[in-house]
């Protein structure tokens, strides 16, 4: 988290806060500008919370904006502000490392326990799956394009992506997705449904592809293979579990 990024986020939050009354109940959200202002504050608040910045003082943020807009003398020196930003950046990085380590440890324990359940198959790579609905259709190759329905979750059940919820299957190249999917799709038959448990090293590893998927996460998918298509027939649908 760069200093200028943090400062910009705080500034935007402050702009919203400084234009509002002290009591949220008195704030009107009727005009497009008012709604957009609220949206800016909401999005920035969520972003800051994800950065571990959930202890910011809204009144102090508003005070800084008021001083800047009113061209008042700043109440803290540039050196003091730099020190504060550096502290918050370091804290955020430390929290990210801690979360990553905790997620990795929890994921290994989850897979260890899950692999002992009846019906769960663990492959040589560490990928785990269980067949929900068996079928005898064709099996895709790495060079094929397939049509699938899926829902991706974290091990705590949090859904991060779902073609099922969108009500629209997607087409994707077998070799254009994360390693766990590449392996799993080639084990499946058209018409088959499986429950897939992907170790972090076969997913996104130590990288976090989005705020909803922490680094080192084990990913759980409900996956249905609907068809194998000619590569030239593939559409432009998003590749949810795409490679980095």
């Amino acid at each position: 988290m760069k200093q200028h990024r943090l400062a910009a986020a705080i500034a935007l939050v402050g702009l919203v806060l400084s234009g509002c009354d002290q009591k949220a109940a008195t704030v009107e959200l009727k005009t497009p500008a008012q709604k957009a202002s609220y949206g800016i504050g909401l999005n920035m608040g969520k972003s800051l919370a994800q950065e571990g910045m959930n202890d910011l003082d809204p009144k102090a943020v508003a005070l800084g904006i008021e001083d800047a807009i009113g061209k008042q003398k700043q109440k803290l020196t540039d050196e003091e502000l730099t020190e504060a930003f550096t502290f918050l950046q370091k804290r955020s990085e430390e929290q990210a490392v801690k979360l990553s380590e905790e997620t990795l440890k929890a994921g290994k324990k989850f897979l260890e326990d899950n692999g002992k359940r009846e019906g769960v198959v663990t492959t040589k790579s560490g990928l785990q799956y269980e067949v929900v609905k068996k079928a005898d259709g064709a099996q895709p190759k790495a060079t094929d394009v397939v049509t699938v329905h899926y829902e991706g979750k974290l091990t705590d059940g949090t859904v991060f992506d779902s073609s099922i919820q969108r009500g629209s299957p997607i087409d994707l190249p077998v070799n254009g997705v994360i390693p766990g999917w590449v392996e799993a799709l080639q084990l499946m038959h058209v018409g088959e449904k499986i429950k897939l448990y992907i170790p972090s090293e076969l997913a996104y590893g130590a990288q976090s592809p989005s705020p909803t998927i922490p680094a080192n996460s084990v990913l759980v998918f409900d996956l249905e293979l609907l068809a194998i298509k000619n590569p030239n027939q593939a559409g432009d649908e998003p590749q949810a579990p795409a490679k980095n």
Side-chain angles (χ1 to χ4, degrees), residues 31 36 40 53 56 64 94 118 121 126 134 157 177 187 201 205 216-217 226 243:
T31 69
I40 290 172
M53 298 291 297
L56 285 179
E94 290 174 347
E118 184 177 355
V121 178
K134 192 170 180 59
V177 289
L187 295 172
E201 61 269 24
N216 290 325
S217 290
L226 299 175
K243 295 179 181 178

Side-chain angles (χ1 to χ4, degrees), residues 74-82:
Q74 64 188 56
K75 295 178 173 58
L76 295 173
T77 65
D78 289 342
E79 289 76 15
E80 289 175 308
L81 292 174
T82 297

Side-chain angles (χ1 to χ4, degrees), residues 89-149:
Q89 178 178 342
K90 182 179 179 181
R91 186 184 67 176
S92 178
E93 292 171 349
E94 290 174 347
Q95 289 173 339
V97 170
K98 181 180 179 182
L99 175 60
S100 179
E101 292 175 346
E102 291 174 347
T103 302
L104 181 61
K105 182 178 180 180
K108 289 182 177 180
K109 181 66 165 61
F110 172 86
L111 292 170
E112 180 182 344
D113 293 340
N114 190 62
K116 298 175 183 177
R117 293 194 303 107
E118 184 177 355
V120 174
V121 178
T122 302
T123 70
K124 185 177 180 180
S125 70
L127 181 72
Q128 295 181 352
Y129 70 93
E130 54 186 319
V131 178
V132 177
K133 175 187 174 184
K134 192 170 180 59
D136 297 318
Q139 289 180 279
K141 303 182 295 294
T143 53
D144 285 331
V145 172
V146 295
T147 303
V148 300
H149 239 337

Side-chain angles (χ1 to χ4, degrees), residues 62-91:
L63 178 61
I65 291 296
E66 289 172 1
D67 282 352
I69 292 176
K71 298 182 179 180
Q72 301 296 313
K73 182 179 179 181
Q74 64 188 56
K75 295 178 173 58
L76 295 173
T77 65
D78 289 342
E79 289 76 15
E80 289 175 308
L81 292 174
T82 297
E83 182 180 354
F85 284 130
T86 300
F87 170 81
L88 293 179
Q89 178 178 342
K90 182 179 179 181
R91 186 184 67 176

